Amino acid sequence: MKAFFEGFASLFVDFLFLPMDWLRELELTNWWLANILNWVFILICIGAMVYWTKQLNIFKKNNEDEDDTTAHSFLG
């Protein structure tokens, strides 16, 4: 049973965490390149927020949004 858990630990440490070790070493030389994935996610979130805001404005212009507090029975 001990060999099973050691093999499991070896799988993660020796193989699956290698990209994380590479990013950790890369951060010492180039912070921007090491965090490129974070910047991609930030840009995706900004794009989603802009799209969502535009859609909210479209519904507001068409008077299709319901902004009263009695929209749900538990609020009124």
Side-chain angles (χ1 to χ4, degrees), residues 31-75:
W31 182 87
W32 291 98
L33 190 59
N35 288 299
I36 193 74
L37 187 62
N38 294 333
W39 291 111
V40 168
F41 286 142
I42 288 171
L43 291 175
I44 289 171
C45 289
I46 289 171
M49 291 289 289
V50 168
Y51 174 77
W52 183 39
T53 305
K54 286 183 177 183
Q55 292 297 315
L56 286 175
N57 285 333
I58 289 171
F59 280 98
K60 190 168 190 95
K61 286 179 185 176
N62 293 337
N63 291 326
E64 295 178 14
D65 61 339
E66 194 169 326
D67 55 0
D68 60 341
T69 57
T70 59
H72 298 286
S73 62
F74 57 84
L75 293 175

Side-chain angles (χ1 to χ4, degrees), residues 17-36:
F17 286 159
L18 283 179
M20 299 301 144
D21 292 338
W22 178 74
L23 284 173
R24 187 181 66 220
E25 292 172 9
L26 180 63
E27 185 183 14
L28 299 175
T29 58
N30 190 343
W31 182 87
W32 291 98
L33 190 59
N35 288 299
I36 193 74

